[in-house]
Amino acid sequence: MMVKISRLSRGRHHLAFVLLLALVVVGICVPVFALLPSLCSHHQSLPPAPPRDEKMMSQRFYIKDDKFWKDENTFQIIGGDLHYFRVLPQYWEDRLLRAKALGLNTIQTYVPWNLHEPNPGKMVFDGIADVVSFIKLCQKLDLLVMLRAGPYICGEWDLGGFPAWLLAAKPPLKLRTADPAYLKLVERWWNVLLPKVFPLLYSNGGPVIMVQIENEYGSYGNDKTYLRNLVTVATGHLGNDIILYTTDGGTRETLEKGTVPLYDVFSAVDFSTGDDPWPIFELQKKFNAPGRSPPLSSEFYTGWLTHWGEKIAKTDAEFTAASLEKILSRNGSAVLYMVHGGTNFGFYNGANTGSDEFDYKPDLTSYDYDAPIKESGDIDNPKFRALQRVIKKYNAAPHFITPSNNKRKAYGPIKMQRTISLFDLMSMTDPVDVITSTNPISMESAGQMFGFLVYESSYISKKSGNILRIPKVHDRAQVFVSCLSQDVDGEVLRYIGTTERWNNQPVSIPTTECTFNTSLFILVENMGRVNYGPYIFDEKGILSTVYLDGQILHGWKMIPIPFHNLNQMPNFSFEIQHTKKRNVGQKEPALFAGEFSINSVDEIKDTYLSFNGWGKGVAFINKFNIGRYWPSVGPQCNLYVPAPLLKPGRNSVMIFELESPHVDLLLRAVDQEDFTCGSNYSKVNQL
């Protein structure tokens, strides 16, 4: 979506402590990335697309006379974006039925490359990544599909859908260009994805009517060779009958840059809700062949995204519905972005930037988007009703009975216990996983794509104290010192301060009484990679020289703390394990474990975890990473817990708390969303 202008071999070794860890699983840590090899051929050698079954020759979706045609009838696309990777598979049908009850006839979805190829050459198409099953389910429900195949998707998704390991390639790849090394990797990816899509095309009896290449490229670059390469690879796999399309902002500049001239690629547009659509549709015609420009807003915004530290985004229901009717009433087509936003589970939330890369704005865990179908699936709201009322006028197909909201349950307070501190996590790390270097290296170069990385060094403490400066850190660094040789039975890590990408300030380190050198630990959190704009080359970790009292500090260890991400299924036993008693500072990050019980299957309902009174961190329910919390900044107070994550009996909760735990160590399972935390009118980069 646009911003208004408006995991290399199999993992090295798991951290040694994971077999003992309480309720949390640590993910795969991979070695330093070297030059990416070319594992695919050039597009000239692509095999031809298989011939279509003669029985399907009469089934066509095409463009003629500035209209969409489905078989022999004109067709008005009334669609909505609903992303399979933001909804648990058990809820796909529920959400699709709600979209159908709204009156939609088409579902549009991105395909995030990073979810499907988390490590080079390791493809994943099961669980929440089972895009084929999702498309087949759409067809079962009589919904057509517009597939946004990327390779770049934006979508408020980490790195715009690009795998983070692309950033570790040497020499650096030039993403979103005709760079041969980059294009070879795109082709390798599409050589897997597109053959799965081909049988699902409408002309082959499936529901896929259109396939998008790239996304809003005109807002980024102007490399026509790159776009033509994508078209060639796509048609090599999908044939010439499928409608390939691009989406760009509705201005002459973005359309000139983002469209593919002299190629039969349909150009669609997006623009701010409330803009007069018809002058933009007239402009759209100039970038399509004569008779091949049916008016289509492929992203009609029903709401907007929200960053941490902002007030939750809301748009008026009647205004949104009236704006949609301006398109539909004159036979225009539109795709609601979003019809249902869902959740940025795991570490996959994206981020935006402002005037420079330090003006960093990470997205919430919730991707509710103020869409007509809420994050929890609720549809009893003014926006759903207003849009449904308009859509019913233009979609003559029988409408499903509007389903009721899913039931939710407040399971009450959950007593948490501190189980493992940050120092314990570091001391339990397999030495094989620790990287040494003269200077700090990025997370990606360390083979760690998500989570946290500890940078360790040492220095001689001055009586007057020391000044630490890290010119470039992505994204948030908490600084600790320790006299390890003396304090093993005492308070090992002493919290000093925090410096952030958006508020990069020197850290004053008080003098220590260490007999020998003082140990320095810097815990860096990857808060989500930029997904839009010129700063998408968003490596994480410490990305600069570190200075102590104006002098370069050399001699570093990189210690991974890479909790598992979305769609990584752990295979460890989960037993409560406590480390030996010692004084742990209130500000030392730690794992906290708890549980709550559900008596029967009938009592399993959606719920929310309320983090009011906690600081900042990441949470797991029954081993599943439900995302980040940060109530002190807000606006999101509660994390959504879909019922399919729960089970009868004991349900485990694990959180990694970075700052300070709740005074009573209590979480609460409640039955409502809450976006009222923090200072709702502030911004992260102003904190």
Side-chain angles (χ1 to χ4, degrees), residues 478-494:
Q478 294 169 262
V479 180
F480 305 84
V481 297
S482 173
C483 300
L484 288 178
S485 58
Q486 295 108 279
D487 290 351
V488 173
D489 295 321
E491 183 178 321
V492 175
L493 294 185
R494 178 183 177 188

Side-chain angles (χ1 to χ4, degrees), residues 84-112:
Y84 60 95
F85 47 91
R86 284 182 160 123
V87 181
L88 293 187
Q90 298 93 325
Y91 270 168
W92 285 347
E93 185 164 356
D94 175 89
R95 303 305 195 257
L96 289 170
L97 286 171
R98 293 168 190 271
K100 195 169 180 67
L102 184 63
L104 304 191
N105 56 31
T106 305
I107 294 297
Q108 184 171 249
T109 185
Y110 291 123
V111 181

Side-chain angles (χ1 to χ4, degrees), residues 524-556:
V524 178
E525 178 187 4
N526 167 358
M527 292 176 59
R529 293 179 180 85
V530 173
N531 58 264
Y532 179 88
Y535 305 113
I536 62 169
F537 302 90
D538 190 15
E539 289 183 280
K540 297 302 185 181
I542 295 178
L543 307 178
S544 67
T545 300
V546 175
Y547 297 90
L548 191 72
D549 301 323
Q551 301 297 311
I552 297 175
L553 185 60
H554 293 298
W556 292 89

Side-chain angles (χ1 to χ4, degrees), residues 287-505:
F287 295 89
N288 284 306
R292 294 188 53 79
S293 193
L296 171 63
S297 172
S298 51
E299 289 189 8
F300 174 87
Y301 302 113
T302 61
W304 201 246
L305 62 100
T306 304
H307 304 115
W308 289 107
E310 296 176 351
K311 183 178 180 181
I312 193 70
K314 295 286 184 182
T315 58
D316 182 77
E318 294 299 330
F319 172 81
T320 304
S323 299
L324 179 62
E325 186 155 26
K326 289 179 182 178
I327 298 174
L328 300 185
S329 63
R330 294 175 57 181
N331 247 354
S333 292
V335 181
L336 308 184
Y337 193 102
M338 303 286 297
V339 65
H340 171 60
T343 308
N344 292 319
F345 293 119
F347 296 120
Y348 276 120
N349 67 274
N352 289 296
T353 54
S355 58
D356 57 48
E357 65 175 305
F358 300 101
D359 188 11
Y360 173 75
K361 306 170 184 180
D363 298 318
L364 299 184
T365 297
S366 172
Y367 198 60
D368 179 84
Y369 212 83
D370 197 28
I373 304 172
K374 309 307 290 179
E375 181 180 18
S376 63
D378 285 4
I379 56 177
D380 184 11
N381 63 76
K383 188 169 287 183
F384 186 94
R385 291 189 292 270
L387 289 170
Q388 185 185 55
R389 184 177 66 248
V390 167
I391 292 170
K392 278 185 174 181
K393 298 179 184 179
Y394 306 100
N395 186 354
H399 284 250
F400 274 55
I401 297 174
T402 302
S404 60
N405 290 343
N406 289 325
K407 293 182 179 180
R408 298 193 292 264
K409 186 174 178 63
Y411 294 102
I414 303 168
K415 182 66 175 179
M416 304 297 289
Q417 300 178 64
R418 186 191 302 267
T419 58
I420 301 177
S421 71
L422 174 61
F423 179 79
D424 297 323
L425 290 176
M426 292 189 296
S427 64
M428 294 176 181
T429 301
D430 191 326
V432 173
D433 294 336
V434 177
I435 297 171
T436 60
S437 177
T438 301
N439 293 305
I441 64 174
S442 70
M443 283 188 172
E444 293 81 6
S445 295
Q448 180 179 324
M449 305 307 151
F450 299 96
F452 306 82
L453 192 63
V454 175
Y455 293 80
E456 177 186 354
S457 189
S458 64
Y459 67 98
I460 298 175
S461 178
K462 294 181 179 180
K463 290 185 178 180
S464 59
N466 302 83
I467 301 296
L468 178 72
R469 189 166 65 88
I470 313 172
K472 192 172 183 179
V473 60
H474 289 190
D475 298 303
R476 189 171 185 270
Q478 294 169 262
V479 180
F480 305 84
V481 297
S482 173
C483 300
L484 288 178
S485 58
Q486 295 108 279
D487 290 351
V488 173
D489 295 321
E491 183 178 321
V492 175
L493 294 185
R494 178 183 177 188
Y495 172 73
I496 301 300
T498 298
T499 187
E500 298 139 329
R501 175 174 178 170
W502 57 90
N503 185 27
N504 192 304
Q505 300 292 330

